[in-house]
Structures are given as structure tokens and as C-alpha cells.
PDB file of all heavy atoms in Angstrom:
ATOM      1  N   ASP A  75       0.828  -1.195  -0.026  1.00 83.00           N
ATOM      2  CA  ASP A  75       0.036   0.022  -0.060  1.00 83.00           C
ATOM      3  C   ASP A  75       0.783   1.287   0.031  1.00 83.00           C
ATOM      4  O   ASP A  75       0.268   2.394  -0.323  1.00 83.00           O
ATOM      5  CB  ASP A  75      -0.973   0.046   1.259  1.00 83.00           C
ATOM      6  CG  ASP A  75      -2.012  -1.020   1.138  1.00 83.00           C
ATOM      7  OD1 ASP A  75      -2.249  -1.490  -0.060  1.00 83.00           O
ATOM      8  OD2 ASP A  75      -2.532  -1.423   2.121  1.00 83.00           O
ATOM      9  N   GLY A  76       2.170   1.140   0.377  1.00 71.00           N
ATOM     10  CA  GLY A  76       2.927   2.516   0.431  1.00 71.00           C
ATOM     11  C   GLY A  76       4.296   2.173   0.427  1.00 71.00           C
ATOM     12  O   GLY A  76       4.793   1.119   0.498  1.00 71.00           O
ATOM     13  N   GLY A  77       5.091   3.219   0.311  1.00 71.00           N
ATOM     14  CA  GLY A  77       6.544   3.144   0.321  1.00 71.00           C
ATOM     15  C   GLY A  77       7.197   2.888  -1.104  1.00 71.00           C
ATOM     16  O   GLY A  77       6.404   2.651  -2.083  1.00 71.00           O
ATOM     17  N   ASP A  78       8.518   3.153  -1.145  1.00 76.00           N
ATOM     18  CA  ASP A  78       9.124   2.814  -2.472  1.00 76.00           C
ATOM     19  C   ASP A  78       9.332   1.466  -2.667  1.00 76.00           C
ATOM     20  O   ASP A  78       8.973   0.527  -1.887  1.00 76.00           O
ATOM     21  CB  ASP A  78      10.390   3.679  -2.513  1.00 76.00           C
ATOM     22  CG  ASP A  78      11.293   3.382  -1.481  1.00 76.00           C
ATOM     23  OD1 ASP A  78      11.226   2.247  -0.769  1.00 76.00           O
ATOM     24  OD2 ASP A  78      12.251   4.186  -1.042  1.00 76.00           O
ATOM     25  N   ARG A  79      10.129   1.075  -3.784  1.00 79.00           N
ATOM     26  CA  ARG A  79      10.381  -0.348  -4.033  1.00 79.00           C
ATOM     27  C   ARG A  79      11.029  -1.091  -3.040  1.00 79.00           C
ATOM     28  O   ARG A  79      10.761  -2.167  -2.656  1.00 79.00           O
ATOM     29  CB  ARG A  79      11.070  -0.425  -5.420  1.00 79.00           C
ATOM     30  CG  ARG A  79      11.292  -1.896  -5.816  1.00 79.00           C
ATOM     31  CD  ARG A  79      12.223  -2.099  -6.985  1.00 79.00           C
ATOM     32  NE  ARG A  79      12.431  -3.458  -7.273  1.00 79.00           N
ATOM     33  CZ  ARG A  79      13.230  -4.310  -6.600  1.00 79.00           C
ATOM     34  NH1 ARG A  79      13.737  -3.889  -5.461  1.00 79.00           N
ATOM     35  NH2 ARG A  79      13.290  -5.559  -6.890  1.00 79.00           N
ATOM     36  N   ALA A  80      12.064  -0.370  -2.473  1.00 77.00           N
ATOM     37  CA  ALA A  80      12.878  -0.962  -1.376  1.00 77.00           C
ATOM     38  C   ALA A  80      12.040  -1.364  -0.175  1.00 77.00           C
ATOM     39  O   ALA A  80      12.155  -2.494   0.395  1.00 77.00           O
ATOM     40  CB  ALA A  80      14.107  -0.044  -0.963  1.00 77.00           C
ATOM     41  N   GLU A  81      11.181  -0.417   0.259  1.00 80.00           N
ATOM     42  CA  GLU A  81      10.368  -0.661   1.346  1.00 80.00           C
ATOM     43  C   GLU A  81       9.333  -1.844   1.031  1.00 80.00           C
ATOM     44  O   GLU A  81       8.977  -2.590   1.949  1.00 80.00           O
ATOM     45  CB  GLU A  81       9.581   0.541   1.814  1.00 80.00           C
ATOM     46  CG  GLU A  81      10.541   1.664   2.403  1.00 80.00           C
ATOM     47  CD  GLU A  81       9.793   2.885   2.666  1.00 80.00           C
ATOM     48  OE1 GLU A  81       8.659   3.080   2.141  1.00 80.00           O
ATOM     49  OE2 GLU A  81      10.411   3.784   3.372  1.00 80.00           O
ATOM     50  N   ARG A  82       8.887  -1.776  -0.165  1.00 82.00           N
ATOM     51  CA  ARG A  82       7.915  -2.922  -0.566  1.00 82.00           C
ATOM     52  C   ARG A  82       8.549  -4.305  -0.577  1.00 82.00           C
ATOM     53  O   ARG A  82       8.149  -5.217  -0.116  1.00 82.00           O
ATOM     54  CB  ARG A  82       7.444  -2.539  -1.973  1.00 82.00           C
ATOM     55  CG  ARG A  82       6.565  -3.576  -2.642  1.00 82.00           C
ATOM     56  CD  ARG A  82       6.006  -2.962  -3.942  1.00 82.00           C
ATOM     57  NE  ARG A  82       5.417  -4.025  -4.871  1.00 82.00           N
ATOM     58  CZ  ARG A  82       4.529  -3.823  -5.732  1.00 82.00           C
ATOM     59  NH1 ARG A  82       3.909  -2.607  -5.738  1.00 82.00           N
ATOM     60  NH2 ARG A  82       4.047  -4.733  -6.469  1.00 82.00           N
ATOM     61  N   SER A  83       9.857  -4.292  -1.079  1.00 82.00           N
ATOM     62  CA  SER A  83      10.633  -5.553  -1.046  1.00 82.00           C
ATOM     63  C   SER A  83      10.806  -6.039   0.363  1.00 82.00           C
ATOM     64  O   SER A  83      10.665  -7.286   0.740  1.00 82.00           O
ATOM     65  CB  SER A  83      12.016  -5.403  -1.685  1.00 82.00           C
ATOM     66  OG  SER A  83      11.859  -5.064  -3.049  1.00 82.00           O
ATOM     67  N   LEU A  84      11.213  -5.174   1.336  1.00 79.00           N
ATOM     68  CA  LEU A  84      11.417  -5.515   2.699  1.00 79.00           C
ATOM     69  C   LEU A  84      10.153  -6.010   3.271  1.00 79.00           C
ATOM     70  O   LEU A  84      10.211  -6.966   4.019  1.00 79.00           O
ATOM     71  CB  LEU A  84      11.966  -4.188   3.456  1.00 79.00           C
ATOM     72  CG  LEU A  84      12.107  -4.377   4.957  1.00 79.00           C
ATOM     73  CD1 LEU A  84      13.048  -5.439   5.323  1.00 79.00           C
ATOM     74  CD2 LEU A  84      12.537  -3.111   5.534  1.00 79.00           C
ATOM     75  N   GLY A  85       9.112  -5.263   3.159  1.00 83.00           N
ATOM     76  CA  GLY A  85       7.839  -5.671   3.740  1.00 83.00           C
ATOM     77  C   GLY A  85       7.381  -7.014   3.360  1.00 83.00           C
ATOM     78  O   GLY A  85       6.943  -7.784   4.083  1.00 83.00           O
ATOM     79  N   LEU A  86       7.380  -7.216   2.008  1.00 87.00           N
ATOM     80  CA  LEU A  86       6.972  -8.558   1.567  1.00 87.00           C
ATOM     81  C   LEU A  86       7.790  -9.686   1.975  1.00 87.00           C
ATOM     82  O   LEU A  86       7.327 -10.694   2.517  1.00 87.00           O
ATOM     83  CB  LEU A  86       6.996  -8.501  -0.050  1.00 87.00           C
ATOM     84  CG  LEU A  86       5.903  -7.740  -0.729  1.00 87.00           C
ATOM     85  CD1 LEU A  86       6.107  -7.742  -2.244  1.00 87.00           C
ATOM     86  CD2 LEU A  86       4.533  -8.382  -0.470  1.00 87.00           C
ATOM     87  N   ALA A  87       9.081  -9.456   1.926  1.00 83.00           N
ATOM     88  CA  ALA A  87      10.071 -10.604   2.478  1.00 83.00           C
ATOM     89  C   ALA A  87       9.805 -10.774   3.883  1.00 83.00           C
ATOM     90  O   ALA A  87       9.801 -11.990   4.416  1.00 83.00           O
ATOM     91  CB  ALA A  87      11.477 -10.123   2.072  1.00 83.00           C
ATOM     92  N   ALA A  88       9.783  -9.699   4.691  1.00 81.00           N
ATOM     93  CA  ALA A  88       9.678  -9.875   6.182  1.00 81.00           C
ATOM     94  C   ALA A  88       8.409 -10.613   6.604  1.00 81.00           C
ATOM     95  O   ALA A  88       8.378 -11.295   7.497  1.00 81.00           O
ATOM     96  CB  ALA A  88       9.784  -8.467   6.798  1.00 81.00           C
ATOM     97  N   ALA A  89       7.352 -10.376   5.775  1.00 84.00           N
ATOM     98  CA  ALA A  89       6.049 -10.967   6.094  1.00 84.00           C
ATOM     99  C   ALA A  89       5.884 -12.379   5.703  1.00 84.00           C
ATOM    100  O   ALA A  89       5.451 -13.328   6.307  1.00 84.00           O
ATOM    101  CB  ALA A  89       4.870 -10.069   5.533  1.00 84.00           C
ATOM    102  N   LEU A  90       6.390 -12.654   4.456  1.00 87.00           N
ATOM    103  CA  LEU A  90       6.075 -13.923   3.786  1.00 87.00           C
ATOM    104  C   LEU A  90       7.169 -15.002   3.873  1.00 87.00           C
ATOM    105  O   LEU A  90       6.836 -16.231   3.774  1.00 87.00           O
ATOM    106  CB  LEU A  90       5.749 -13.531   2.299  1.00 87.00           C
ATOM    107  CG  LEU A  90       4.463 -12.766   2.064  1.00 87.00           C
ATOM    108  CD1 LEU A  90       4.270 -12.545   0.559  1.00 87.00           C
ATOM    109  CD2 LEU A  90       3.226 -13.367   2.756  1.00 87.00           C
ATOM    110  N   LEU A  91       8.482 -14.544   3.932  1.00 81.00           N
ATOM    111  CA  LEU A  91       9.463 -15.680   4.047  1.00 81.00           C
ATOM    112  C   LEU A  91       9.361 -16.453   5.382  1.00 81.00           C
ATOM    113  O   LEU A  91       9.455 -17.726   5.343  1.00 81.00           O
ATOM    114  CB  LEU A  91      10.853 -15.090   3.996  1.00 81.00           C
ATOM    115  CG  LEU A  91      11.230 -14.464   2.491  1.00 81.00           C
ATOM    116  CD1 LEU A  91      12.662 -14.059   2.550  1.00 81.00           C
ATOM    117  CD2 LEU A  91      10.828 -15.468   1.412  1.00 81.00           C
ATOM    118  N   PRO A  92       8.990 -15.877   6.554  1.00 80.00           N
ATOM    119  CA  PRO A  92       8.697 -16.609   7.770  1.00 80.00           C
ATOM    120  C   PRO A  92       7.559 -17.498   7.448  1.00 80.00           C
ATOM    121  O   PRO A  92       7.438 -18.686   8.059  1.00 80.00           O
ATOM    122  CB  PRO A  92       8.481 -15.551   8.832  1.00 80.00           C
ATOM    123  CG  PRO A  92       9.258 -14.435   8.395  1.00 80.00           C
ATOM    124  CD  PRO A  92       8.996 -14.291   6.900  1.00 80.00           C
ATOM    125  N   LEU A  93       6.487 -17.089   6.795  1.00 83.00           N
ATOM    126  CA  LEU A  93       5.341 -17.892   6.523  1.00 83.00           C
ATOM    127  C   LEU A  93       5.708 -19.179   5.634  1.00 83.00           C
ATOM    128  O   LEU A  93       5.222 -20.235   5.829  1.00 83.00           O
ATOM    129  CB  LEU A  93       4.236 -17.090   5.764  1.00 83.00           C
ATOM    130  CG  LEU A  93       3.007 -17.844   5.339  1.00 83.00           C
ATOM    131  CD1 LEU A  93       2.188 -18.377   6.557  1.00 83.00           C
ATOM    132  CD2 LEU A  93       2.078 -16.812   4.474  1.00 83.00           C
ATOM    133  N   ALA A  94       6.775 -18.922   4.768  1.00 81.00           N
ATOM    134  CA  ALA A  94       7.062 -20.090   3.949  1.00 81.00           C
ATOM    135  C   ALA A  94       7.889 -21.021   4.778  1.00 81.00           C
ATOM    136  O   ALA A  94       7.773 -22.255   4.486  1.00 81.00           O
ATOM    137  CB  ALA A  94       8.036 -19.449   2.771  1.00 81.00           C
ATOM    138  N   VAL A  95       8.677 -20.559   5.763  1.00 76.00           N
ATOM    139  CA  VAL A  95       9.465 -21.445   6.591  1.00 76.00           C
ATOM    140  C   VAL A  95       8.510 -22.368   7.350  1.00 76.00           C
ATOM    141  O   VAL A  95       8.621 -23.473   7.487  1.00 76.00           O
ATOM    142  CB  VAL A  95      10.315 -20.636   7.595  1.00 76.00           C
ATOM    143  CG1 VAL A  95      10.861 -21.576   8.632  1.00 76.00           C
ATOM    144  CG2 VAL A  95      11.495 -19.936   6.871  1.00 76.00           C
ATOM    145  N   ASP A  96       7.491 -21.722   8.012  1.00 74.00           N
ATOM    146  CA  ASP A  96       6.555 -22.451   8.819  1.00 74.00           C
ATOM    147  C   ASP A  96       5.738 -23.490   7.872  1.00 74.00           C
ATOM    148  O   ASP A  96       5.542 -24.702   8.276  1.00 74.00           O
ATOM    149  CB  ASP A  96       5.462 -21.527   9.465  1.00 74.00           C
ATOM    150  CG  ASP A  96       5.981 -20.722  10.537  1.00 74.00           C
ATOM    151  OD1 ASP A  96       7.154 -21.165  11.016  1.00 74.00           O
ATOM    152  OD2 ASP A  96       5.399 -19.744  10.950  1.00 74.00           O
ATOM    153  N   ALA A  97       5.361 -23.092   6.623  1.00 78.00           N
ATOM    154  CA  ALA A  97       4.674 -24.067   5.806  1.00 78.00           C
ATOM    155  C   ALA A  97       5.634 -25.105   5.417  1.00 78.00           C
ATOM    156  O   ALA A  97       5.148 -26.319   5.333  1.00 78.00           O
ATOM    157  CB  ALA A  97       4.261 -23.232   4.602  1.00 78.00           C
ATOM    158  N   ALA A  98       6.924 -24.930   5.220  1.00 73.00           N
ATOM    159  CA  ALA A  98       7.890 -25.905   4.839  1.00 73.00           C
ATOM    160  C   ALA A  98       7.986 -26.887   5.962  1.00 73.00           C
ATOM    161  O   ALA A  98       8.026 -28.127   5.709  1.00 73.00           O
ATOM    162  CB  ALA A  98       9.216 -25.364   4.524  1.00 73.00           C
TER     163      ALA A  98
END
């Protein structure tokens, strides 16, 4: 919803990579 590309990358990775770990 906001921020530049770097902030978007950080936010997506910080939220979804741990979710991927748990799913694995």
C-alpha cells in the first residue's frame, strides 16, 4: 500500500518468508 520499491521488497520478504518457513 505504500513506500518505495525497497520498502515494498522489505515488507513482503519480512512478512512472507517466515510464512514459507512455517509451511515448509
Side-chain angles (χ1 to χ4, degrees):
D75 292 339
D78 56 20
R79 183 192 177 283
E81 291 175 343
R82 175 169 161 151
S83 295
L84 170 60
L86 284 173
L90 297 180
L91 293 188
L93 179 61
V95 171
D96 290 343

